[in-house]
Amino acid sequence: MTDPHAIQASELDQLPDRDPEETAEWQASLDAVAKAAGPHRAAYLMRRTLERAEGNGIALPKLLETDYVNTIPTAAEPSAPGDEEMERKITAWNRWNAAAMVTRGSKYGVGGHIATFASAAWLYETGFNHFFKGKEADGSGDQLYIQGHASPGIYARAFLDGRLDESQLDNFRRESGGNGLPSYPHPRRLPWLWEFPTVSMGLGPLSAIYQARFNRYLTARGIKDVSQSHVWAFLGDGEMDEPESTAALALASREGLDNLTFVINCNLQRLDGPVRANFKIVQELEAQFRGAGWNVVKSLWGNAWDELFQLDTTGALVRRLRQVPDAQVQTYQTRDAAYIRQDFFGKDPALVEMAKLLSDDKILECFHLSRGGHEARKVYAAYKAAVEFKGAPTVILAQTVKGHTLGEGFASKNANHQMKKLSVDEFKTMRDLLELPIKDSDFVDGVVPYGHPGADSPEVRYLQERRAALGGPAPARRVHPVAPLAAPAEKAFASFDKGSGTQNVATTMAFVRLIKDLVRDKETGRRWVPIVPDEARTFGMESLFPSLGIYSPKGQTYEPVDRDQLMYYKEAQNGQILNEGITEAGSMADFIAASTSYATHGEAMIPFYIFYSMFGWQRTADQMWQLGDQLGRGFLVGATAGRTTLTGEGLQHADGHSPVIAATNPAALTYDPAFAYEVATIVRDGIRRMYGEAAPGEDPNVFYYLTVYNEPLPQPAKPSGPGIDEGIVKGLYRFNTAESAGLSPAANAPRVQLLGSGTAIHWVLKAQRMLAEEWGVASDVWSATSWTELRRDALEADAGLLRGEERVPYVRQALHGAEGPVLAVSDYMRQVPDQIAQWVEQDWSSLGADGFGLSDTREGARRHFGVDAESVVVAALAQLARRGEVKATAVKEAREKYGL
């Protein structure tokens, strides 16, 4: 077996030692300290030496873990401004009302969480009073990502501030009456208060990083100076298990996002028990963040611990704190002083002697109550250090007790996340602890009262004065009254109406060509935000590199290898393209920040994010829900779409289902355009609806999902006649008839209606000709640009019937009187076109690519799934045969003829 020390020595030998004698002396000194004073003293000296080296700018690997103590010692804490006693009273009212709100709601069985805010109350109150800038501050104010389960405390503070009333608190989690409060931060449900939906754990931290980065992007591009805005993300230590929580830590440090602070509430508990029962989550997170290049500030112990640390002349206390696993720390929270003396202090003779100097009350104060996250001065010191640190983002690891001040039945209990109420007696105990002027007689019929000191009380005046000084209420979402964006020049869209002639053009390329024209528009061009996940060349976007530039805070510090080429790789500090590397999650976080800039910063931006359609809704659908929740606007573009168009890649790349998933999101307008002019028409209408003048009844807070294809084919001219644009936007229009296609059917020829979407319409058009020329069947071809929008329109018509409103769904109007059965064809699962079947008055049938994808040619894959032109012909003949309009033998003959 190889000696690991030999390996280390071998590695060190690769570095030239200019003075081996001096090296040996240092090593001998370390050995002597370890022998004479013990390994703990030797480790202490090494840590201090490494810290000194780092402070002097000497290039050494960073120390990833520090002792389990506060980063800022008590002696170095700055004096906190303001009135701490007044802030204590405000925090007490907030604690009370948060618990009362959830408890009163428990009689309806709607649930709620009490313990999280109880642990984090001072983390929020200190920020609201001294740090969090409101919307009237410089730039756009700060952006606050509130921990979802702490929402009752934020509502309680808004109640104290007069922004909410008792009736709203009483409707916590009961929104259907129109006066309720959503369970968690949700801009779509309470758009004047919440900016960011955060309860889908892991997405808040990821979005916060990209929001901070997008702030830099806006400033660098001269759109708006938001350099004074700071992003605060409040997170749970359990939430950090989510992969998205730490997915972009390196990005934040690489780009020096010192406008970002994570505040991790380390109450050591997740939903069912300890976060790291046998380990220490604070130390783990410290190493993780330090390793990623973040500034780390630990606020673990309160002032009551100062006496203990002063008595620790041997370092035994610090060593013991590093040894005790988190689950045992939780146990100390619930046990008496005798147990703590034996289990904590009894493990080391030096600690036994220390414990003799401590009263039981002192031990209980330290181990039950005194945490860095529960003391205003400790929190203030950590926040001040964070906002003053330059060159890197900061994470604050604040240790708290989950269920703090809620009584012995809550504090640190494994089940406290699921505990929804306090008894009257427990509330009275809490009242006495918080010193609130609430009388026993205020508990009418056993119902806990809300508490409020009065609109003109010193507490409320203080709260409002502090918020006024910081730029207004927070959290708050504000959509600034800005003029609609001017519509881009019509020629950018009209150029697609004439078609491509004999040139083969994929709809992916058509979209990219459209964007090239739109970003040149004098009025709106600079507001486009192109987002790609390291696939720009796949989508033909490399020509945008030199003209728009790729955003980089460092610009371009190197000479690109392709500098002499026309489409060279260009990075710039004011670059317009966000090229995120291989991260769909990061690209979506970019998109969310850009798509909500109209509210966050009062600057409408038009993001488009282009990606492999298989890797969009499949991988990042949760973020797309977050996008809808946050009322984002923009264009998601699923390129290389469909199950059979991406040749040779196989089932992992074959998208047969993204429109199904997208259809579940009410904010997603899902389109599957077949032709370049359809793409242009949809984008033009999307710009109008989201950024221009929305029609009455239209919600501008939507986003568009377009599927586009990499199959180069001739692009036809836009058909003439009324209603084409309306049909494209609503989801269906007649592209041609047998007659207009020049097929000259017989007067009594059987007829079928062929509906196709996306690339499938090309198989349908081929089948139309085959049916006429080989089987004497006439067919009309319809382009179904959006099965989902057709369905939604029909659902709205059905809902109207319940209200006594008579309206015929658009799909039924469009197909009304069309002769023969309907056959719908898609490159997706059959359930995509089948969405509209119940509203079609004709006989209905469909073809789609169900099942797993496979590697093959396009033709081979389409034959495998039974969606090629020959399969369309056979399916159409089968429909007509069932109606007795063609002979049954024709179906068999066709199958044999085409080898099906």
Side-chain angles (χ1 to χ4, degrees), residues 599-616:
T600 309
H601 296 299
E603 294 287 346
M605 305 299 287
I606 313 175
F608 75 87
Y609 164 34
I610 188 167
F611 50 88
Y612 269 99
S613 67
M614 183 66 168
F615 301 154

Side-chain angles (χ1 to χ4, degrees), residues 97 198 274 337 370 396 399 438 466 484 494 496 528 580 627 796 888:
N97 287 322
T198 53
S370 187
I396 295 169
Q399 186 161 271
I438 296 173
R466 292 306 310 140
F496 293 89
W528 284 89
E580 289 309 338
L627 165 66
E796 289 176 9

Side-chain angles (χ1 to χ4, degrees), residues 493-559:
F493 306 102
S495 63
F496 293 89
D497 291 351
K498 61 184 178 182
S500 64
T502 59
Q503 183 185 6
N504 289 336
V505 178
T507 51
T508 298
M509 184 53 65
F511 176 81
V512 172
R513 288 183 183 177
L514 174 63
I515 293 300
K516 287 180 183 177
D517 290 337
L518 293 176
V519 295
R520 296 190 188 104
D521 185 81
K522 292 182 180 179
E523 295 294 330
T524 59
R526 72 192 190 108
R527 296 191 176 274
W528 284 89
V529 183
I531 302 169
V532 284
D534 199 36
E535 290 282 3
R537 298 181 193 279
T538 300
F539 308 133
M541 294 177 60
E542 65 269 27
S543 62
L544 296 178
F545 289 167
S547 59
L548 301 183
I550 299 165
Y551 169 72
S552 169
K554 289 186 175 294
Q556 195 154 36
T557 61
Y558 59 93
E559 183 177 353

